[in-house]
């Protein structure tokens, strides 16, 4: 039994890391498996202003770094590997990864979400040549250039505020009648001089040869088409896409109960339809997806894992 973990956490966003802090602090043998970068989607967030106790000028990366340090302090093991297959129905569950096979008494799924694409021609072609899905990663590359943001939700507006620090102008292209974000964020956006908001539009064509230098949009109410072209001295424009999220739950489709959008259903204790299997954070079916709600999920799941094992 020495080679069997008490709990394996799949994913290392705020939900997974919070679960790791609580479980390892409770002396549970804890393993966190991450396919990409420890910290998850929070690494793409420039400013963290609404997490209680956040430091001044807190970023997603700085908060994640402290969470990771806490996990390691209490004894959690963090590894990079890709989960390929899972067997969950037995008391001792099996996690088959690309580099190893792990056994565990309980599993916490914290696989999060990924950004949706625009799903139009040439989107892949211009990725890294004008198109990006991460403002904090690529915003500095568009200093003093025109930047467009596809999306009208909370994430799109927050990222626009970040991009406004670099770009000479940021234009938000939203399909909605009005922005779908908190009043505070909306007001902050409207008072930023180099941000323009255009509602009721959809991007229908991407223009350019080697790089993106134009965007054609259609007004969803009038059907009128507008084309934006890069200034002659710029040659390129930036397009940052924030049009929604897709749950990273394909691995669990035949195992766990999912809602109509692909998010994992849980009870109030974060347990799924399989005993000993929990889900936390953005991959879970719920109303609000924020750092604080993911952290809350992780704490609840870890505490209930301890009860389940005992």
């Amino acid at each position: 039994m020495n080679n069997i973990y008490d709990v394996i956490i799949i994913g290392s966003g705020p939900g997974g890391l919070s679960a790791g802090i609580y479980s390892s602090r409770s002396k549970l043998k804890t393993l966190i498996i991450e396919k990409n970068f420890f910290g998850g989607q929070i690494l793409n967030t420039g400013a963290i202003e609404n997490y209680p106790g956040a430091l001044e000028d807190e970023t997603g990366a700085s908060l994640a770094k402290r969470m990771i340090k806490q996990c390691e302090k209490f004894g959690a093991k963090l590894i990079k590997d890709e989960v390929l297959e899972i067997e969950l129905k037995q008391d001792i569950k099996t996690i088959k990864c690309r580099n190893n096979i792990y056994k565990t008494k309980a599993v916490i799924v914290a696989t999060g979400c990924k950004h949706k694409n625009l799903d139009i021609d040439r989107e892949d072609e211009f990725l890294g040549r004008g198109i990006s899905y991460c403002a904090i990663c690529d915003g500095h590359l568009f200093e003093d250039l025109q930047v467009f943001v596809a999306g009208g939700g909370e994430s799109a507006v927050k990222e626009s505020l970040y991009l406004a620090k670099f770009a000479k102008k940021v234009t938000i292209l939203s399909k909605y009648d009005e922005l779908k974000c908190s009043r505070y964020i909306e007001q902050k956006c409207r008072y930023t001089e180099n941000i323009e908001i255009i509602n009721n539009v959809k991007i229908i064509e991407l223009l350019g040869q080697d790089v993106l230098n134009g965007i054609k949009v259609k007004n969803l109410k009038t059907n009128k088409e507008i084309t934006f072209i890069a200034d002659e001295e710029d040659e390129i424009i930036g397009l940052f896409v924030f049009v929604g999220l897709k749950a990273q739950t394909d691995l669990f489709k035949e195992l766990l109960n999912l809602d109509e959008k692909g998010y994992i259903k849980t009870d109030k204790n974060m347990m799924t339809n399989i005993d000993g299997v929990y889900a936390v954070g953005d991959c879970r079916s719920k109303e609000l997806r924020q750092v604080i709600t993911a952290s809350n999920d992780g704490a609840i799941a870890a505490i209930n894992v301890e009860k389940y094992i005992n």
Side-chain angles (χ1 to χ4, degrees):
M1 295 289 285
N2 288 338
N3 294 325
I4 297 175
Y5 286 92
D6 291 317
V7 58
I8 289 179
I9 301 164
I10 305 173
S12 68
L17 292 175
S18 293
I21 291 167
Y22 272 78
S23 62
S24 57
R25 189 172 181 273
S26 298
K27 303 302 181 183
L28 298 181
K29 188 177 180 181
T30 302
L31 175 65
I32 301 174
I33 301 174
E34 172 57 55
K35 180 174 71 173
N36 296 312
F37 300 100
F38 294 118
Q41 289 287 345
I42 191 178
L43 297 177
N44 299 331
T45 302
I48 300 289
E49 296 182 320
N50 56 355
Y51 189 81
L55 301 177
E56 187 175 353
D57 298 324
E58 185 85 274
T59 66
S62 65
L63 181 59
K65 185 177 180 180
R66 295 206 310 280
M67 287 182 170
I68 292 165
K69 190 174 181 180
Q70 280 181 284
C71 285
E72 293 173 332
K73 172 186 174 182
F74 294 123
K77 183 178 180 181
L78 290 82
I79 64 162
K80 278 198 175 184
D81 209 341
E82 181 181 5
V83 178
L84 302 177
E85 189 178 339
I86 299 180
E87 297 173 4
L88 297 177
K89 294 185 179 180
Q90 304 300 318
D91 288 341
I92 301 300
K93 299 155 196 331
T94 303
I95 311 293
K96 297 180 181 179
C97 295
R98 189 170 297 280
N99 300 317
N100 212 334
I101 297 176
Y102 303 94
K103 301 284 186 178
T104 182
K105 300 171 188 175
V107 172
I108 297 176
V109 180
T111 48
C113 297
K114 68 177 181 179
H115 289 291
K116 290 181 179 178
N117 295 337
L118 289 171
D119 198 25
I120 59 176
D121 290 343
R122 308 185 72 189
E123 187 171 0
D124 290 340
E125 178 186 341
F126 287 121
L127 182 61
R129 299 181 179 185
I131 290 182
S132 175
Y133 302 90
C134 176
I136 194 171
C137 307
D138 299 327
H140 66 286
L141 300 174
F142 296 89
E143 190 161 4
D144 295 326
L145 296 173
Q146 291 185 74
V147 166
F148 295 81
V149 172
E154 187 94 5
S155 294
V157 180
K158 283 183 175 180
E159 301 301 341
S160 297
L161 288 166
Y162 179 80
L163 290 167
K165 299 176 183 179
F166 304 96
K168 63 182 175 185
K169 183 179 180 182
V170 177
T171 303
I172 299 175
L173 303 173
S174 170
K175 68 179 181 180
Y176 305 117
D177 290 327
E178 55 185 26
L179 297 177
K180 303 288 186 179
C181 63
S182 69
R183 180 75 172 169
Y184 170 74
I185 294 296
E186 180 183 1
Q187 288 299 315
K188 200 170 180 181
C189 176
R190 293 190 183 279
Y191 285 119
T192 302
E193 290 184 359
N194 62 334
I195 294 181
E196 180 183 2
I197 303 164
I198 302 178
N199 293 322
N200 301 305
V201 292
K202 176 183 179 182
I203 297 173
I204 58 172
E205 189 176 353
L206 303 173
L207 307 171
Q209 294 195 8
D210 296 331
V211 297
L212 182 71
N213 69 1
I215 300 172
K216 184 181 287 187
V217 304
K218 181 174 74 172
N219 188 293
L220 297 175
K221 292 191 173 182
T222 65
N223 287 325
K224 181 181 177 181
E225 295 181 0
I226 307 171
T227 301
F228 299 96
I229 299 293
D231 293 341
E232 189 173 343
E233 66 273 17
D234 294 341
E235 297 183 351
I236 186 173
I237 59 174
L239 174 60
F240 288 79
V241 180
F242 304 103
V243 292
L245 299 170
K246 181 183 184 298
Q248 298 277 70
T249 56
D250 289 348
L251 193 64
F252 308 98
K253 279 183 177 177
E254 307 301 322
L255 297 169
L256 304 179
N257 291 340
L258 308 180
D259 67 15
E260 66 279 1
K261 293 183 178 179
Y263 294 97
I264 300 171
K265 294 181 178 180
T266 71
D267 65 13
K268 65 180 182 180
N269 296 321
M270 307 299 143
M271 186 179 279
T272 68
N273 54 296
I274 297 178
D275 286 346
V277 180
Y278 302 77
V280 304
D282 287 0
C283 68
R284 188 174 80 85
S285 181
K286 58 180 182 177
E287 290 297 320
L288 183 62
R289 291 182 173 84
Q290 295 283 299
V291 176
I292 192 168
T293 61
S295 298
N296 173 71
D297 291 353
I300 292 171
I303 288 170
N304 282 286
V305 163
E306 184 183 15
K307 292 178 181 177
Y308 168 78
I309 290 174
N310 289 337

